[in-house]
Amino acid sequence: MSGVTRAAVAELGEAGVATVYEAGGRAGLIDIGLEPLLRGSRVAGPARIALCGQDDNRAVHEVMSRLQPGEILVLTMPEPRPVALFGDLLATQAKVQGAAGVLVDASVRDVADLRAMGLPVWTRWRRVRGATKDVRGSVDVPVHLGGTAVAPGDVVLLDDDGAAAVPADRVEATVEAVRARIAKEDGLRERWRSGELSYDAYGLRAEDDTAGRVRE
């Protein structure tokens, strides 16, 4: 995992996209609309990237030869369009190779079959329009997804909230920040369960009351 420990990846994955994004200073959000084909899934792993030619998935076939167990396949192309880069035959290979999950910044097809396989897949679109296999594209190269740079080996997280990425050299620091955030949220949760209101605890009521008096 290129210096990133399995334990750290697992801890980030368990925390989830929202917690990691907030703990990391609201950085790393992959801000695109993604549909999880298996709702309730929560996965994380080092990115294994295929930057395809436009409307072409030849690079996806090539990247399968490099895929390692526990990795997240990241499939994209220069201009995202509803062209199917991934279907059941490629999913079969990905599952056998041990992919933790798949992020498709394009379309997938054979959705019922993908769900039956149990391989967690997130996609922009579901469309049957097929891709060509004429352009080699690039594998294991940095890409930009939804305003975030993702490099090979960066940790990609996927769940029902969407996707985020943590640079490989920031994983350990992010794990520490995540632990602190979870501890803080656990404390707040107990306060809210006891009946305290965030409107008061955060001083928002006092601010509003003051503003109201000023307006008068």
Side-chain angles (χ1 to χ4, degrees):
M1 286 195 183
S2 304
V4 176
T5 67
R6 294 182 184 277
V9 171
E11 193 164 350
L12 293 177
E14 180 63 25
V17 170
T19 296
V20 172
Y21 162 68
E22 292 288 353
R26 296 191 172 182
L29 178 66
I30 297 176
D31 195 12
I32 56 179
L34 290 170
E35 176 189 0
L37 299 188
L38 294 177
R39 294 196 177 275
S41 298
R42 181 176 284 187
V43 299
R48 179 66 69 178
I49 300 170
L51 175 57
C52 297
Q54 189 62 48
D55 301 339
D56 191 286
N57 76 344
R58 181 168 176 162
V60 183
H61 294 266
E62 181 178 353
V63 82
M64 291 298 176
S65 68
R66 305 191 187 190
L67 181 62
Q68 298 296 311
E71 293 181 334
I72 301 290
L73 267 177
V74 177
L75 312 179
T76 188
M77 54 187 174
E79 180 185 342
R81 285 206 288 243
V83 174
L85 297 183
F86 194 75
D88 73 308
L89 293 177
L90 284 165
T92 299
Q93 297 177 60
K95 187 167 184 180
V96 170
Q97 296 296 100
V102 186
L103 188 166
V104 184
D105 188 22
S107 175
V108 301
R109 61 185 185 185
D110 307 319
V111 170
D113 294 322
L114 297 184
R115 286 175 173 154
M117 286 181 195
L119 177 65
V121 175
W122 281 254
T123 183
R124 269 207 196 215
W125 295 287
R126 291 182 288 163
R127 298 286 195 283
V128 299
R129 186 189 307 169
T132 61
K133 295 178 178 60
D134 301 326
V135 182
R136 184 174 182 185
S138 302
V139 299
D140 294 334
V141 295
V143 293
H144 281 81
L145 297 172
T148 290
V150 182
D154 288 352
V155 175
V156 173
L157 303 98
L158 297 156
D159 62 23
D160 283 353
D161 287 335
V166 179
D169 63 359
R170 292 287 304 158
V171 167
E172 294 301 331
T174 303
V175 167
E176 293 300 322
V178 163
R179 290 172 180 168
R181 183 172 182 86
I182 290 173
K184 178 181 178 181
E185 289 184 345
D186 286 346
L188 291 173
R189 196 171 291 109
E190 288 305 310
R191 291 168 66 183
W192 307 160
R193 284 172 178 163
S194 70
E196 188 176 356
L197 297 176
S198 57
Y199 189 41
D200 296 310
Y202 295 155
L204 303 177
R205 187 193 302 273
E207 288 180 3
D208 289 346
D209 288 346
T210 300
R213 285 195 294 271
V214 169
R215 284 196 296 271
E216 293 174 358

